[in-house]
Amino acid sequence: MSGNNGAGLVRPSVQALKPYVPGEQPQGAGWIKLNTNENWFVSPSVLSAVLAAATHDLRRYPDPVCTDLRVKLSARYGIDSQQIICGNGSDELLTMLIRAIAGEGDRIAFTDPSYSLYETLSHIQNAAPVPVPLGDGWQLPVQELVAVNAPLTFITTPHAPSGTAYRLSDLEAIAAGCAGVVVFDEAYVDFGGDTAIPLLDRYPNVVVLRTMSKAFGLAGMRLGYAFGSRELIGALYRIKDSYNVDLLTQVAGCAALDAWDEYARVNHETAVRRDRVAAELHRRFGWRVWPSATNFILVEVDDADASEIVTRLKTEQILVRYFPRPRLEQSMRISVGSDAEMDLLLAALDKVVG
Ligand SMILES: Cc1ncc(COP(=O)(O)O)c(C=O)c1O
């Protein structure tokens, strides 16, 4: 072999790519993880189902089209199972949507800020990302998004990282005004806010994206699903990897749907705790906490240094998220954990902020 350093072997757009940076996933015990909006709870019935499914059958490929899971999703949401596709996390479905819809140079619109993976995936596809700024107070820029009228638009609703809930009438105005596909990424909708599901019957260009990583405590299994017209969902089936959702994940997803009421109770508790912690952060430190319909809060720390607070919390083995991006430099995003975790967070903040 010569001293070839490999330059020129990779597509220029991939060489130039700034990869998506996921929240830190520390290995080892003792961490309080409030940085990636995972659930603090997972139903014991889901764990038993997964254990029971870990048998000799693992040598076989899983069901390529997640039949049992889609039957349960269909019954739960009242949507035809042919209008449902499951993915290896909703991240995989985002990739599939972009690959199916946006060709090279096509515009992909999303609000700024929002889930930054939309932009990364757009670059991977050589498409043209169009970030559309949110209004003051994180309002949805409905008219501006409609004016872009991109072949593909992503709306995070409720919004991340602010937690803001949007009205169905605004979501509908975007679906009606855009000729292209509009994806409502509802990763956090189980905690609050309007769902765009009622739009599916009226707008063939609408896709609703869900995940089991947040409300169902299954981030470690990787399971998302999308609802949409037969045409759009059919296109995703044509391009998907054959066995994109593994056997144990399919079992976990079914068991989680069976535990629906238990999760609804726990997630309601989380929402109550979120509001308690938000009020307490304002009372103790005078910080602004944006109203949230999700399992996290965005906290603006005024003239304190948010990045420094996040670093100091880490020395206490508490992880929260800092985004070094315009409009977010003064803020930290805190996931809502268990009661005990939130009490430890408040005590640590007392210590590091003083
Ligand atoms: C808005 C939003 N969409 C999608 C995802 C991806 O979720 P999943 O774990 O299903 O890939 C996340 C994860 O944080 C998210 O915040």
Side-chain angles (χ1 to χ4, degrees):
M1 285 275 284
S2 73
N4 188 343
N5 64 8
L9 296 176
V10 172
R11 283 165 50 213
S13 61
V14 174
Q15 233 156 14
L17 188 73
K18 278 202 248 136
Y20 175 76
V21 182
E24 188 174 345
Q25 306 298 335
Q27 308 302 312
W31 288 92
I32 296 180
K33 262 197 98 273
L34 306 175
N35 63 334
T36 43
N37 303 337
E38 292 137 334
N39 209 313
W40 56 278
F41 173 82
V42 61
S43 170
S45 61
V46 173
L47 302 182
S48 315
V50 171
L51 282 176
T55 68
H56 196 58
D57 280 349
L58 287 184
R59 77 207 144 82
R60 296 215 167 122
Y61 286 110
D63 177 353
V65 292
C66 300
T67 309
D68 292 348
L69 191 51
R70 286 190 302 128
V71 165
K72 280 188 192 290
L73 288 167
S74 170
R76 168 54 61 184
Y77 293 101
I79 294 169
D80 189 306
S81 66
Q82 292 191 41
Q83 295 180 253
I84 305 174
I85 186 165
C86 299
N88 182 30
S90 52
D91 281 351
E92 188 199 21
L93 294 163
L94 290 170
T95 297
M96 284 195 232
L97 282 158
I98 290 185
R99 287 168 67 193
I101 293 156
E104 202 162 309
D106 281 345
R107 286 160 308 134
I108 298 181
F110 44 82
T111 65
D112 181 32
S114 64
Y115 186 33
S116 57
L117 185 67
Y118 307 144
E119 181 158 5
T120 309
L121 295 177
S122 307
H123 285 302
I124 293 172
Q125 184 73 351
N126 252 349
V130 183
V132 179
L134 289 171
D136 295 339
W138 316 110
Q139 295 109 318
L140 201 53
V142 175
Q143 289 318 317
E144 290 84 346
L145 286 159
V146 168
V148 173
N149 195 18
L152 180 57
T153 301
F154 291 111
I155 308 291
T156 318
T157 172
H159 180 250
S162 72
T164 308
Y166 296 133
R167 284 193 307 267
L168 181 58
S169 54
D170 283 341
L171 306 182
E172 177 160 16
I174 297 168
C178 291
V181 174
V182 180
V183 179
F184 294 107
D185 181 347
E186 298 188 344
Y188 300 99
V189 80
D190 300 279
F191 299 98
D194 287 352
T195 173
I197 284 179
L199 304 181
L200 288 169
D201 283 342
R202 274 172 283 149
Y203 298 95
N205 60 332
V206 163
V207 171
V208 173
L209 195 59
R210 297 286 184 100
T211 176
M212 286 212 158
S213 296
K214 314 296 181 183
F216 293 92
L218 289 179
M221 299 297 299
R222 314 300 303 126
L223 180 58
Y225 33 97
F227 307 133
S229 62
R230 283 181 188 215
E231 188 196 350
L232 283 177
I233 297 299
L236 302 186
Y237 275 108
R238 281 201 288 281
I239 64 169
K240 84 175 189 66
D241 288 346
S242 306
Y243 306 108
N244 62 326
V245 180
D246 73 63
L247 187 154
L248 295 180
T249 300
Q250 294 188 36
V251 168
C254 288
L257 289 169
D258 289 343
W260 184 272
D261 292 343
E262 189 180 17
Y263 278 110
R265 263 196 316 278
V266 168
N267 291 334
H268 175 71
E269 269 175 43
T270 300
V272 171
R273 187 176 310 125
R274 170 194 70 209
D275 295 342
R276 169 177 81 77
V277 172
E280 195 57 26
L281 288 171
H282 182 69
R283 191 186 69 76
R284 290 190 196 194
F285 307 106
W287 291 337
R288 175 176 203 170
V289 184
W290 291 94
S292 171
T294 65
N295 67 337
F296 59 82
I297 44 179
L298 186 69
V299 184
E300 246 178 60
V301 300
D302 302 323
D303 43 5
D305 182 338
S307 146
E308 173 71 17
I309 296 172
V310 171
T311 305
R312 293 179 68 180
L313 283 175
K314 192 170 169 184
T315 64
E316 303 289 319
Q317 281 209 300
I318 298 179
L319 290 178
V320 303
R321 192 84 182 259
Y322 179 71
F323 298 99
R325 292 175 61 104
R327 294 180 74 177
L328 296 171
E329 294 107 334
Q330 304 277 100
S331 304
M332 51 190 176
R333 194 196 64 189
I334 303 175
S335 312
V336 181
S338 67
D339 255 329
E341 287 174 327
M342 299 322 274
D343 287 344
L344 287 167
L345 169 78
L346 289 169
L349 281 170
D350 278 339
K351 183 171 157 197
V352 305
V353 180

